[in-house]
Amino acid sequence: MGSPLYRRIAQQIKDEIEEGRWKEGESIPTELHLSKQFDASRVTVRQAIKLLVEEGLLEKIQGSGTYVKEQKIEHNIFELISFTEEMRSLNKEPINKVMDFQLIEPEDQVKRMLKLKDGDQVFYVRRQRLVDEVPYVLEDTYLPVDLFPNLSYKIMTGSKYDYIEKEVGKKIKDSFQEVIPVLPEEDIARALMVDTETPILKIRSYSIFEDGTVFEYSENHFKSDEYKFTLRASRP
């Protein structure tokens, strides 16, 4: 016995979305239009839409209508959570692929951000952050050797913040971030699987412990087709 008609209609609507005929963020056709398109009652169409709302492909906005839901990850820049924590909160299991791990004497900009003295060294780590084998973020991070003498390649394949808080025993307080839209350099574009003409979002950030010590400087490159950045502004 075949699947119910409303499920078959739901699958056809999914196909329309995947093939780009229904665009993310746009309102869907009316129930009347869909009942004619699929030669089904409005009740059946309504069941199909309800199923897709439950699956997260469509969203109903009270008093406005039903829309194709944007599938970008919504990143709140006022919330200080790691990539691993963010993905797990969305029931996704991230993978951190370490592409470079070096002990270096940093350039002046990094030295200034981390408030280092001449001769101080840092760990430079480049990580590709993936979900379901798709790269979402390319991270370049610099961590002072004096603060993290036991840092290793293996540690950086996991959650950096977990290591800092649970193993090093330090409490992270704040991160200061600057967001810049850029065209990626060739090596960054290759790691994110985009071309060099595709804009990405670059975030420069430095983070501090509760005692005010700057412990990290990072440059994160986000795929703009996977991420959107949100903030909430309150009127005083």
Side-chain angles (χ1 to χ4, degrees):
M1 188 176 180
S3 60
L5 179 57
Y6 80 90
R7 286 191 176 274
R8 296 202 299 275
I9 291 172
Q11 185 56 55
Q12 287 177 270
I13 292 173
K14 278 186 190 178
D15 294 342
E16 298 264 5
I17 294 170
E18 286 170 6
E19 289 164 15
R21 288 196 287 273
W22 290 26
K23 307 290 186 186
E24 288 186 8
E26 291 184 357
S27 61
I28 68 170
T30 64
E31 283 182 5
L32 180 60
H33 178 96
L34 293 173
S35 66
K36 288 178 179 176
Q37 180 181 342
F38 297 117
D39 193 21
S41 71
R42 291 175 70 168
V43 171
T44 302
V45 166
R46 207 170 294 140
Q47 281 181 292
I49 290 169
K50 182 174 182 288
L51 179 64
L52 294 174
V53 169
E54 289 168 356
E55 291 182 5
L57 281 175
L58 301 179
E59 64 178 339
K60 276 185 177 292
I61 297 177
Q62 190 70 32
S64 178
T66 304
Y67 297 82
V68 180
K69 191 170 184 178
E70 287 191 312
Q71 298 303 310
K72 291 184 180 183
I73 291 168
E74 191 169 333
H75 178 77
N76 182 350
I77 61 175
F78 287 126
E79 192 172 40
L80 182 53
I81 61 173
S82 70
F83 177 79
T84 300
E85 291 166 337
E86 184 171 54
M87 292 302 108
R88 286 179 178 163
S89 74
L90 299 169
N91 297 315
K92 298 175 183 288
E93 191 54 40
I95 292 173
N96 297 314
K97 181 181 177 184
V98 178
M99 303 179 76
D100 200 351
F101 186 97
Q102 294 183 47
L103 186 64
I104 64 168
E105 189 164 334
E107 294 178 357
D108 288 345
Q109 181 197 1
V110 176
K111 192 186 300 181
R112 187 174 67 253
M113 298 300 292
L114 292 173
K115 300 180 180 177
L116 300 176
K117 303 187 296 292
D118 288 345
D120 286 348
Q121 292 189 307
V122 299
F123 288 107
Y124 161 68
V125 188
R126 168 167 280 191
R127 297 193 295 177
Q128 192 185 37
R129 326 296 298 273
L130 305 103
V131 177
D132 298 328
E133 299 183 7
V134 176
Y136 279 43
V137 184
L138 184 71
E139 175 196 76
D140 290 329
T141 193
Y142 302 84
L143 298 153
V145 174
D146 285 352
L147 294 177
F148 309 106
N150 299 319
L151 191 72
S152 68
Y153 180 101
K154 184 174 186 301
I155 286 168
M156 292 302 287
T157 62
S159 168
K160 175 177 60 185
Y161 282 4
D162 266 2
Y163 162 72
I164 290 169
E165 293 188 321
K166 294 176 183 175
E167 294 190 38
V168 179
K170 290 286 191 178
K171 182 68 177 170
I172 298 167
K173 184 186 179 188
D174 290 316
S175 176
F176 300 87
Q177 306 180 9
E178 177 187 26
V179 183
I180 315 160
V182 297
L183 292 175
E185 294 175 12
E186 196 169 316
D187 58 334
I188 292 168
R190 192 164 51 247
L192 290 175
M193 296 183 184
V194 298
D195 63 53
T196 54
E197 299 303 310
T198 301
I200 62 169
L201 294 167
K202 178 178 179 177
I203 292 190
R204 295 185 185 134
S205 64
Y206 67 93
S207 305
I208 63 172
F209 291 141
E210 284 195 321
D211 65 4
T213 302
V214 181
F215 70 86
E216 167 199 34
Y217 172 69
S218 291
E219 294 185 354
N220 285 281
H221 306 85
F222 290 80
K223 284 175 79 169
S224 55
D225 59 349
E226 303 288 358
Y227 265 89
K228 67 176 179 178
F229 288 76
T230 62
L231 55 87
R232 177 179 174 180
S234 299
R235 185 171 172 81

